[in-house]
């Protein structure tokens, strides 16, 4: 099995949790703003409006931007621009991008816009919260609230005691950042987070949603995923719920490996099975599917090998 912890893409799970638990997000990270919103009137995600504003802008890599229509207590309609920056390092143009998004939304829709940022990078000193300039007496000074996830490392006891879903989200994110190069520690923290959900008595939907987030953030090589599965199954023996994220991935991978081994033997003979030592180290489902399909078209073992070695190189370059 490969010694490399799989690359984790943090933006998709964060986006899903924002969609599912937006009010909890505001309460957890921006409680003063949360208290001024009339939640009884609901809220609306304005993804299409945001896309129209930024479609023609070359503003760098956007990860998670959410534009949300809310109503303030008193009846005023306002818009919130939620920007969650979860890249692994700081970006020089980030304050400018926050400013550009804010004024473009205001200019197009004539709505008051609050821009809020959550920074999930691993540089404790990077805390952009202002963009501006001064020229000939004309001054622009745009300031926005920022949450730095690394600060919660000093508040772990507070996170552990909280039942807000974003306490779990933050703990999982911090664990993902801290265990990038330590697979065994990542598995240990993943088990601890999963056990906490059961022990705190979250309802079934919340457990499955948060387990899905934890699973996505704390990816493991296949061998450690199997160990994790066994330990969670022991925990679930006392519960009425089932874990359905990484276990399904493991099942798919195992099925693909069996199909590849059978295909190799049928087409190239048993002498080709030495390739399984290399192929079994791959834990990407789509890559394994390409190998399985490649058996149909490859005319030699070397040709098949080129297919998955080329695919592995592409994945490394993307990451």
């Amino acid at each position: 099995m490969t010694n490399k912890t799989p690359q984790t893409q943090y933006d998709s799970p964060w986006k899903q949790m924002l969609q599912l638990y937006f009010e909890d997000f505001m309460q957890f990270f921006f409680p003063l703003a949360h208290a001024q919103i009339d939640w009884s009137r609901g809220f609306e995600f304005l993804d299409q409006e945001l896309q129209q504003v930024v479609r023609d802008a070359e503003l760098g890599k956007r990860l998670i931007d959410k534009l949300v229509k809310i109503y303030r207590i008193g009846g005023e309609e306002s818009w919130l621009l939620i920007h969650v920056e979860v890249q692994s390092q700081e970006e020089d143009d980030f304050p400018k991008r926050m400013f550009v998004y804010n004024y473009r939304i205001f200019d197009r829709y004539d709505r008051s816009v609050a821009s809020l940022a959550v920074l999930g990078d691993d540089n404790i000193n990077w805390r952009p919260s202002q963009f501006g300039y001064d020229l000939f007496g004309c001054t622009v000074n745009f300031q926005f609230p920022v949450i730095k996830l690394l600060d919660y490392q000093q508040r772990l006891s507070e996170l552990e005691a909280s039942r807000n879903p974003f306490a779990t989200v933050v703990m999982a994110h911090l664990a993902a950042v801290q265990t990038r190069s330590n697979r065994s520690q990542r598995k240990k923290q993943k088990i601890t987070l999963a056990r906490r959900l059961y022990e705190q008595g979250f309802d079934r939907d919340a457990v499955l949603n948060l387990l899905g987030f934890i699973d996505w953030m704390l990816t493991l090589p296949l061998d450690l995923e199997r160990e994790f599965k066994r330990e969670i199954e022991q925990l679930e023996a006392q519960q009425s719920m089932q874990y359905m994220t990484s276990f399904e991935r493991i099942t798919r991978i195992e099925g693909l490996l069996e199909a590849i081994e059978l295909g190799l033997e049928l087409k190239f003979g048993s002498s080709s099975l030495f390739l399984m030592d290399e192929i079994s180290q791959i834990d990407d489902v789509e890559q394994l599917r390409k190998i399985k399909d490649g058996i149909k078209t490859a005319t030699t073992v070397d040709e098949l090998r080129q297919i998955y070695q080329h695919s592995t190189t592409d994945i490394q370059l993307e990451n």
Side-chain angles (χ1 to χ4, degrees):
M1 187 57 53
T2 179
N3 290 325
K4 180 183 177 182
T5 299
Q7 180 76 15
T8 301
Q9 297 296 325
Y10 297 150
D11 52 332
S12 294
W14 267 95
K15 183 176 182 178
Q16 181 183 27
M17 297 307 290
L18 269 171
Q19 289 280 157
L20 290 172
Y21 301 111
F22 175 67
E23 183 175 351
D24 292 303
F25 171 88
M26 291 299 298
Q27 185 177 45
F28 188 84
F29 290 117
F30 302 101
L32 294 181
H34 177 275
Q36 298 179 52
I37 296 173
D38 185 352
W39 295 102
S40 67
R41 298 189 63 180
F43 55 86
E44 179 183 355
F45 288 103
L46 303 173
D47 292 348
Q48 183 175 355
E49 286 82 354
L50 182 60
Q51 288 299 319
Q52 291 174 352
V53 168
V54 303
R55 182 179 299 154
D56 60 341
E58 294 295 334
L59 299 172
K61 182 180 180 182
R62 291 190 305 112
L63 289 176
I64 304 176
D65 301 301
K66 282 293 180 184
L67 186 61
V68 190
K69 181 171 73 176
I70 54 91
Y71 293 91
R72 300 178 63 182
I73 293 176
E76 179 184 353
E77 177 184 303
S78 300
W79 289 10
L80 290 177
L81 173 63
I82 307 298
H83 188 97
V84 181
E85 187 78 2
V86 292
Q87 62 187 35
S88 60
Q89 59 186 10
E90 65 268 29
E91 179 185 341
D92 291 339
D93 288 339
F94 177 72
K96 176 184 176 182
R97 187 163 79 250
M98 293 289 286
F99 171 67
V100 171
Y101 283 12
N102 187 284
Y103 84 68
R104 283 193 174 207
I105 294 167
F106 176 81
D107 181 57
R108 176 166 294 195
Y109 300 107
D110 193 25
R111 291 287 188 274
S112 298
V113 184
S115 296
L116 313 173
V118 176
L119 304 178
D121 64 286
D122 55 5
N123 184 345
I124 192 66
N125 296 315
W126 187 59
R127 297 170 181 268
S129 62
Q130 183 271 342
F131 175 84
Y133 56 85
D134 181 84
L135 181 63
F136 304 144
C138 177
T139 300
V140 171
N141 183 21
F142 175 68
Q143 300 183 40
F144 51 92
V146 169
I147 297 296
K148 189 77 173 182
L149 295 185
L150 282 183
D151 290 343
Y152 286 92
Q153 190 61 45
Q154 309 303 318
R155 302 166 60 182
L156 290 180
S157 60
E158 177 184 335
L159 294 178
E160 291 169 357
S162 175
R163 288 182 56 83
N164 188 300
F166 278 89
T168 299
V169 166
V170 171
M171 286 191 287
H173 186 97
L174 291 176
V177 172
Q178 294 163 358
T179 60
R180 282 180 180 144
S181 58
N182 189 327
R183 297 176 302 155
S184 59
Q185 183 63 25
R186 173 167 286 197
K187 188 198 78 169
K188 180 179 178 181
Q189 293 205 36
K190 190 171 182 177
I191 291 171
T192 298
L193 287 169
R195 180 179 293 112
R196 172 181 173 273
L197 295 179
Y198 288 116
E199 292 176 347
Q200 287 207 338
F202 285 95
D203 63 48
R204 185 179 188 278
D205 288 343
V207 168
L208 292 178
N209 289 333
L210 290 168
L211 281 174
F213 183 87
I214 292 168
D215 187 56
W216 203 332
M217 296 293 289
L218 298 174
T219 54
L220 294 168
L222 187 57
D223 57 344
L224 291 182
E225 286 282 19
R226 290 191 179 108
E227 293 180 13
F228 173 73
K229 175 183 177 180
R230 288 193 293 269
E231 295 194 44
I232 293 299
E233 283 177 339
Q234 293 175 4
L235 175 64
E236 289 187 337
Q238 304 172 4
Q239 307 292 332
S240 60
M241 293 178 286
Q242 294 182 343
Y243 186 71
M244 301 175 62
T245 50
S246 63
F247 296 178
E248 293 178 342
R249 186 174 73 89
I250 291 171
T251 300
R252 288 197 296 269
I253 289 174
E254 290 176 339
L256 286 168
L257 289 174
E258 291 176 1
I260 291 170
E261 184 173 6
L262 178 60
L264 282 173
E265 187 169 12
L266 290 176
K267 185 164 186 177
F268 300 112
S270 59
S271 61
S272 66
L273 294 181
F274 74 93
L275 290 181
M276 292 304 299
D277 291 337
E278 299 174 353
I279 295 173
S280 63
Q281 296 181 27
I282 298 170
D283 49 23
D284 181 86
V285 172
E286 291 305 317
Q287 191 179 4
L288 290 172
R289 283 176 179 156
K290 290 180 181 179
I291 297 170
K292 180 175 72 71
D293 294 340
I295 295 176
K296 301 175 184 177
T297 57
T299 57
T300 66
V301 170
D302 287 338
E303 186 177 338
L304 178 66
R305 203 173 194 179
Q306 289 176 5
I307 291 174
Y308 69 76
Q309 287 180 340
H310 177 72
S311 180
T312 301
T313 301
D314 288 345
I315 289 175
Q316 291 173 344
L317 289 175
E318 289 174 1
N319 290 336

